Amino acid sequence: MNAAAVQSYMRSGQTLPFCPGCGHERLLRDLDKALVRLQLDPKTVVIVTDIGCIGLSDQYFATNGFHGLHGRSLTYATGIKLARPELTVVVLMGDGGCGIGGAHLLNAARRNLDLTLIVANNFNYGMTGGQHSVTTPLGGHTATTPGGNTEGPIDLCAVAEAAGASWVYRGTTYDSDLAERIAQGMRHAGFALLDVWELCTAYYTPRNDMNKREFMDLLSSSGMPSGLLVEKQRPEFAASYGERSKAVAPPQRMVIERAFASSLDRQIGIVIAGSAGQKVKSAATMLARAGVLSGLDATQKDDYPITVMTGHSLSEVNLSRKRIEYTAIDDPDYFAVISEEGLKKSRQWISRLSASCNLYVDHSFQIPDTRARVRRLGLSQLSKEAGKLSLSVAMVAAMVADGKFIDPQALEKSITSFQSPKVAEANLKAVRSGLGAIQERSPE
Amino acid sequence: MEAVVGLEFIEGNEAIARAAVKAGCRFFAGYPITPASTILSNMLELLPPLGGIAMQAEDEIAAIGFCIGASMAGSKAMTATSGPGISLYSENIGLAIIGETPLVIVDVQRQGPATGSATKGADGDIQFARWVTSGGLPTIALCPATVAEAYELTYRAFNLAETYRTPVFVLSNKEVSMTCEVVDLDAIELPPPAARPRPLQGAEYSPHQFRRIEEVPPLVDIGDGHATRYTTSTHNKAGYLTADPAVIEEMIEHYAAKIESAASDIALYRQDLQEGAETVVVSYGVTSRAAGLAVHRARDKGHRVSSLVLQTLYPVPERVLRRAMQGVRRVVVPEMNLGQYRYEVERLAPAGVMVSGVNRMDTTLLAPAEIELRGQL
């Protein structure tokens, strides 16, 4: 900044809205002093506040102010800082916010983005009637702890440290060096937490018959250490993110150029029903791309359960010279079942297939009554020839050989153009196995 | 990024991610959820090489919180989730509305409620998107039917979000987002990217300044030369808390008026109206494709049937709907839910016109034959 030094970052002529004796006023005055020490351009400082009395604070500063939802202040601060790392972002949150937004506190500490979080910790919810919070001491009296608090308090500093916070301080609004501590936290390049204990003169202090001395005793008897508790160097998140980004290569596009002819004059539906791990989806994509290489429109719709390497995997591919509107296949033309799981998922469907459908199943499969033309194959033999991971591809090739709806060369082109050399080699072998798999042309 | 000219075979979620980048999105945050996760994975690949940021947040609330912060600091921002995540976004969507925050929210709908069927499609969040937050202020929502449309509408969603300073929904469906189709993205005609309105040089700045009630206030991003304000609490034009009922009323009217007065500009639709039609089919999203086939089947049989496909669901394109329903006896609304958009159609239908639904919420697509039969086309 040029010109004269900034004397105060608070808007002039404003009276703070806090109860007489409330710790928030002392805290804000020290935050102002810290800002004066740092002499930052007020337009580059963002004060993000949470909900509760402390949430009223941002509007008394001549900096940017951002007042968000309860417990979520760290999330807005994160977005602001990531979008504009040059800004200085300070978060003011109460002990209430640390409860409802606990996940954000843990993750801000873990992430180590350069934010400064000041917790105005007065052991209860001052704005809503003095209910207990996650920092209410054992035995503490609040509106919602009849007979005294029996839920132990969280040691915010210990929690933040365990989560990886790189700068942690605990003190009170009576600390003579609080302004300097806040400035230190703001200078720290990483996530800084100041757990600042305060009086709530409306609720907590009177309910617990507490004066300043007893308040100070509370800190010493809590077993929680105070002062600068953590100061370590860890990579700051935005800087690391920028470094890491340099290593991310933009994705390669797979552009399909039409190279083959197809005699297909109607929309056909091809279904492959197998198991997770059988590469059903990628074989279906290979087929669909071969269709596009052949001048056709194509769609692919997949179905699978919420499990990953177990359960069925079923893909529906439509091919058509005209634009495909309806992507489901109610009346398939080609239907391949390549595992017992696939068969189980397809049983009802098989019993509804029409006479124009070619159904490809293993010799051993017990299939329901169907009008479809059943073609039996030796799947275990085919799997041996093609390789276990390429059985789906071999089956697609078998259907192409049988149905002649596209040129088998389009399949090979689809594989060599869009698959890695190693995968392509295995799949090309599988195509050759599949093309010869159906010897018998007569239906059952 | 290099321009790609040619055909690709991609799923809707990839199209959504690439449209966002094309529109200038440089900040994305999301939380993994089927069927929206591949938007997150695409953005993690697309944004870093462009100097943008893509984050996996600790939960959905953080995801939208990051986006609101980033948007107010000047980044075009997007988040993507499914029904369970929209539930968690609810409160922050209200914040984005009253903070007048440009933001694109993709809801890849899946069968609900609750966890529902994670890998199955539905259009179950149609009214949820309209009434998504407390206070009942209007939202903008676009609904794609195809992978190509997912690209176009996501791009347009950014323009609307920036132009109107408001969150905009892209209401996708597993059946669009995780279905692969052939597209030529560069052949899709798009308007130029829109920028958020800016104040005149040297003018006094207030974050919610407007003269006419429907005017979209100019926006200065945090860090751009003004000490600016943003707040979740009821506020005046300057962003300071207020309890003055007259000011509150004006602000609330403003949030609604800026969207509702622009309804005609925001309305996107395709219509195929037939002279003397007795029936009009009103559809949207993936179901509109089967509805289109059903209409053609009915016409082949000599029935007179019109079709209106809405790409903008909110604000409801009332004029378009009213016009399409003029002179018909029946309106059929096929939906992958229990009949959510039918309510909007019913309230606009001329007296004496019968509105009926063809509904399915069993995770399967409505088939053309079913719409024709149950819709009595």
Side-chain angles (χ1 to χ4, degrees):
Chain A
M1 278 196 76
N2 48 22
V6 182
Q7 303 296 315
S8 170
Y9 285 74
M10 300 188 86
R11 292 165 64 214
S12 55
Q14 300 285 316
T15 308
L16 292 177
F18 306 119
C19 303
C22 170
H24 293 349
E25 175 140 2
R26 301 179 74 95
L27 179 62
L28 295 195
R29 300 283 175 212
D30 278 337
L31 171 60
D32 185 34
K33 283 182 202 154
L35 288 165
V36 167
R37 275 166 207 244
L38 297 171
Q39 281 298 309
L40 300 163
D41 178 348
K43 296 195 282 289
T44 67
V45 176
V46 191
I47 296 180
V48 181
T49 62
D50 213 84
I51 293 293
C53 300
I54 198 69
L56 299 167
S57 306
D58 56 283
Q59 54 188 334
Y60 297 94
F61 285 83
T63 63
N64 294 284
F66 193 115
H67 174 47
L69 303 183
H70 193 23
R72 316 304 170 196
S73 46
L74 279 168
T75 70
Y76 315 116
T78 300
I80 293 165
K81 184 71 182 177
L82 285 171
R84 298 230 172 181
E86 71 273 19
L87 298 176
T88 301
V89 184
V90 179
V91 180
L92 293 172
M93 185 155 76
D95 40 304
C98 295
I100 189 172
H104 311 309
L105 174 58
L106 294 179
N107 283 281
R110 182 176 72 86
R111 193 173 288 125
N112 203 38
L113 183 66
D114 185 12
L115 305 172
T116 303
L117 168 64
I118 303 172
V119 178
N121 183 357
N122 60 15
F123 321 115
N124 74 163
Y125 291 69
M127 192 172 253
T128 50
Q131 297 85 354
H132 74 94
S133 77
V134 292
T135 65
T136 305
L138 265 179
H141 295 281
T142 74
T144 49
T145 46
N149 185 29
T150 51
E151 300 176 32
I154 280 179
D155 180 338
L156 292 176
C157 296
V159 167
E161 183 182 4
S166 52
W167 196 96
V168 177
Y169 169 84
R170 180 181 283 119
T172 77
T173 48
Y174 295 106
D175 294 356
S176 57
D177 61 349
L178 183 60
E180 177 51 30
R181 293 302 191 179
I182 293 172
Q184 277 177 21
M186 290 173 67
R187 279 193 210 104
H188 174 73
F191 179 73
L193 164 70
L194 295 101
D195 176 19
V196 182
W197 290 23
E198 305 178 334
L199 297 180
C200 172
T201 50
Y203 297 111
Y204 198 79
T205 331
R207 276 199 181 118
N208 292 277
D209 201 16
M210 189 177 273
N211 57 26
K212 181 185 167 187
R213 209 191 63 211
E214 284 149 346
F215 166 75
M216 297 307 288
D217 287 347
L218 187 65
L219 181 58
S220 49
S221 66
S222 69
M224 298 184 199
S226 58
L228 183 58
L229 304 175
V230 179
E231 186 177 26
K232 62 183 177 191
Q233 294 304 314
R234 269 186 60 202
E236 194 275 330
F237 181 81
S240 320
Y241 190 94
E243 278 304 307
R244 195 187 65 192
S245 293
K246 291 177 190 159
V248 180
Q252 295 291 312
R253 303 283 164 238
M254 294 186 186
V255 179
I256 311 171
E257 286 179 34
R258 292 184 162 158
F260 298 91
S262 165
S263 58
L264 191 67
D265 56 359
R266 64 199 172 92
Q267 181 168 327
I268 59 167
I270 303 136
V271 179
I272 313 162
S275 300
Q278 284 190 306
K279 307 249 175 214
V280 170
K281 274 176 71 177
S282 56
T285 303
M286 185 267 295
L287 169 63
R289 286 206 178 103
V292 184
L293 283 164
S294 311
L296 303 174
D297 194 20
T299 63
Q300 178 183 344
K301 174 172 146 60
D302 306 309
D303 183 70
Y304 41 85
I306 49 168
T307 51
V308 180
M309 293 300 287
T310 61
H312 73 273
S313 176
L314 191 149
S315 288
E316 298 168 62
V317 173
N318 281 296
L319 296 175
S320 171
R321 187 157 303 286
K322 288 197 284 189
R323 200 178 117 75
I324 298 160
E325 286 294 346
Y326 181 56
T327 56
I329 301 174
D330 297 333
D331 191 9
D333 298 275
Y334 302 91
F335 200 121
V337 183
I338 61 168
S339 75
E340 288 284 358
E341 270 169 320
L343 177 62
K344 197 174 154 199
K345 187 69 191 172
S346 315
R347 291 194 84 85
Q348 281 194 349
W349 209 343
I350 289 171
S351 62
R352 289 197 311 264
L353 291 176
S354 61
S356 60
C357 181
N358 293 292
L359 173 65
Y360 305 85
V361 291
D362 187 68
H363 289 302
S364 68
F365 288 174
Q366 299 288 315
I367 59 167
D369 287 341
T370 179
R371 286 176 293 160
R373 287 190 295 242
V374 180
R375 303 233 186 278
R376 294 281 182 178
L377 298 86
L379 281 183
S380 48
Q381 180 60 29
L382 188 57
S383 179
K384 243 180 247 161
E385 284 172 34
K388 206 171 150 214
L389 288 176
S390 298
L391 177 61
S392 303
V393 171
M395 197 63 240
V396 166
M399 288 192 282
V400 167
D402 199 31
K404 299 187 171 50
F405 44 86
I406 54 168
D407 188 334
Q409 285 183 48
L411 278 187
E412 291 173 2
K413 176 81 176 164
S414 175
I415 289 168
T416 52
S417 303
F418 307 119
Q419 297 182 346
S420 70
K422 202 177 147 196
V423 174
E425 194 188 329
N427 282 342
L428 287 173
K429 190 173 142 230
V431 166
R432 287 191 291 274
S433 308
L435 290 175
I438 296 175
Q439 308 297 341
E440 206 160 318
R441 303 280 310 165
S442 58
E444 247 177 31
Chain B
M1 199 176 0
E2 273 178 58
V4 174
V5 180
L7 300 177
E8 293 179 87
F9 188 67
I10 62 169
E11 64 164 19
N13 279 347
E14 182 178 341
I16 287 167
R18 286 168 61 183
V21 169
K22 175 96 174 169
C25 174
R26 292 296 178 271
F27 191 94
F28 178 89
Y31 182 79
I33 184 168
T34 307
S37 293
T38 46
I39 298 176
L40 168 62
S41 54
N42 272 283
M43 294 308 270
L44 283 164
E45 286 191 343
L46 290 167
L47 287 183
L50 299 170
I53 305 266
M55 293 286 288
Q56 178 181 323
E58 56 265 27
D59 55 31
E60 282 94 344
I61 296 172
I64 187 170
F66 291 179
C67 287
I68 289 172
S71 176
M72 295 315 290
S75 293
K76 286 190 180 179
M78 179 169 87
T79 184
T81 186
S82 190
I86 297 293
S87 309
L88 293 172
Y89 285 3
S90 167
E91 191 183 11
N92 264 315
I93 292 171
L95 172 63
I97 291 172
I98 66 164
E100 303 196 73
T101 305
L103 175 63
V104 174
I105 301 168
V106 183
D107 178 6
V108 185
Q109 296 169 92
R110 71 186 208 191
Q111 174 83 0
T115 301
S117 308
T119 60
K120 314 288 181 187
D123 281 329
D125 303 347
I126 298 300
Q127 285 293 342
F128 190 27
R130 170 61 186 85
W131 303 104
V132 66
T133 192
S134 64
L137 294 172
T139 58
I140 297 175
L142 309 181
C143 184
T146 65
V147 172
E149 222 169 73
Y151 184 79
E152 181 190 339
L153 295 185
T154 302
Y155 180 93
R156 288 180 181 277
F158 274 92
N159 278 6
L160 294 171
E162 297 289 320
T163 303
Y164 296 104
R165 280 189 63 177
T166 196
V168 176
F169 280 102
V170 175
L171 293 174
S172 188
N173 175 325
K174 182 261 174 184
E175 297 291 350
V176 171
S177 272
M178 296 191 74
T179 292
C180 288
E181 293 194 81
V182 182
V183 292
D184 182 352
L185 297 185
D186 294 315
I188 296 170
E189 278 187 43
L190 300 170
R196 43 192 73 177
R198 300 297 190 188
L200 296 173
Q201 199 91 42
E204 284 245 339
Y205 179 65
S206 243
H208 306 280
Q209 186 63 47
F210 53 88
R211 285 155 301 172
R212 288 169 291 107
I213 194 86
E214 73 280 8
E215 190 177 330
V216 183
L219 176 60
V220 172
D221 304 326
I222 296 171
D224 258 1
H226 285 270
T228 185
R229 292 198 41 74
Y230 186 91
T231 174
T232 178
S233 296
T234 304
H235 51 264
N236 60 20
K237 290 177 181 177
Y240 286 98
L241 273 57
T242 181
D244 180 342
V247 175
I248 294 169
E249 185 186 29
E250 186 187 19
M251 293 303 290
I252 292 291
E253 278 181 11
H254 159 70
Y255 303 129
K258 72 172 179 178
I259 306 299
E260 284 161 359
S261 71
S264 294
D265 292 336
I266 299 171
L268 297 166
Y269 57 95
R270 283 180 272 117
Q271 60 184 10
D272 176 8
L273 306 184
Q274 205 177 33
E275 185 86 28
E278 295 211 332
T279 305
V280 59
V281 179
V282 176
S283 61
Y284 57 85
V286 72
T287 303
S288 69
R289 303 169 65 160
L293 293 174
V295 167
H296 284 290
R297 288 166 69 130
R299 285 178 184 172
D300 288 346
K301 291 175 187 164
H303 303 281
R304 303 190 78 80
V305 186
S306 288
S307 168
L308 172 64
V309 177
L310 298 178
Q311 293 161 300
T312 299
L313 296 185
Y314 306 109
V316 176
E318 298 191 356
R319 259 187 255 173
V320 175
L321 271 162
R322 284 205 171 94
R323 212 167 45 217
M325 289 191 283
Q326 252 170 27
V328 302
R329 290 198 302 124
R330 295 174 58 242
V331 185
V332 177
V333 190
E335 297 182 84
M336 282 178 77
N337 57 46
L338 297 182
Q340 296 188 14
Y341 206 72
R342 194 170 75 224
Y343 289 112
E344 307 293 349
V345 177
E346 276 169 348
R347 71 181 171 80
L348 299 167
V353 170
M354 192 179 88
V355 180
S356 58
V358 178
N359 302 96
R360 183 177 271 281
M361 203 179 158
D362 64 354
T363 75
T364 65
L365 292 175
L366 276 162
E370 184 178 9
I371 296 171
E372 187 193 6
L373 181 74
R374 289 174 54 199
Q376 297 171 34
L377 304 187

